[in-house]
Each structure stands twice: as structure tokens, then as C-alpha cells.
């Protein structure tokens, strides 16, 4: 028997992954700030804010930290 293995060619795979874009704005975290509050104030999604800044645990947000603000879509 003849076995045929289908070949899949992926071009421009990097473009297929959504990337959060940096707006160029930077925000300095103040006491009492939350990721939700910062995202809401800048009209961006919480997920985009976390992704752009490489934050996996929003509880680790600390006063004095700077976070980059993504573009709003």
C-alpha cells in the first residue's frame, strides 16, 4: 500500500498570532492601583495590558512600577 502524508505549508506564521501593540505611553503605578483600574482608565483591555507588560500575576503590581500602555482597539 502507498501512504500519502499531506504537507502543510505555513507562510507568514508570525503574522497569524495577534500581537498587542505598544502605544508609546507609560504609566507609573500608584498605591491602590489595579490592572483593571489602569486598563479602564486608559480604555484598553486588561488582557492586552498584562500581555504587553509580560505580567502573569496581576497581584504582583507594585507602586512605582512602570507599565506600558497598549494601543486601544
Amino acid at each position: 500500500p502507498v501512504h500519502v502524508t499531506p504537507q502543510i505549508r505555513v507562510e507568514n506564521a508570525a503574522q497569524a498570532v495577534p500581537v498587542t501593540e505598544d502605544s508609546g505611553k507609560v504609566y507609573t503605578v500608584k498605591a491602590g492601583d489595579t490592572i483593571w483600574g489602569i486598563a479602564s482608565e486608559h480604555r484598553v483591555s486588561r488582557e492586552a495590558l498584562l500581555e504587553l507588560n509580560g505580567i502573569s500575576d496581576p497581584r504582583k503590581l507594585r507602586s512605582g512600577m512602570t507599565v506600558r500602555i497598549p494601543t486601544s482597539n
Side-chain angles (χ1 to χ4, degrees):
V2 176
H3 295 286
V4 177
T5 304
Q7 293 183 358
I8 299 172
R9 184 174 174 172
V10 178
E11 294 183 30
N12 299 324
Q15 294 177 0
V17 178
V19 176
T20 301
E21 293 186 35
D22 190 337
S23 70
K25 297 178 187 174
V26 177
Y27 177 80
T28 302
V29 178
K30 297 180 292 231
D33 279 346
T34 63
I35 287 291
W36 185 89
I38 296 167
S40 179
E41 180 179 331
H42 294 278
R43 298 176 190 223
V44 297
S45 75
R46 177 181 170 271
E47 292 76 18
L49 187 61
L50 292 169
E51 178 184 316
L52 180 63
N53 289 283
I55 299 171
S56 57
D57 184 353
R59 295 173 295 180
K60 294 186 178 178
L61 195 67
R62 297 288 177 254
S63 181
M65 287 175 67
T66 57
V67 291
R68 295 176 294 154
I69 304 299
T71 55
S72 56
N73 293 339

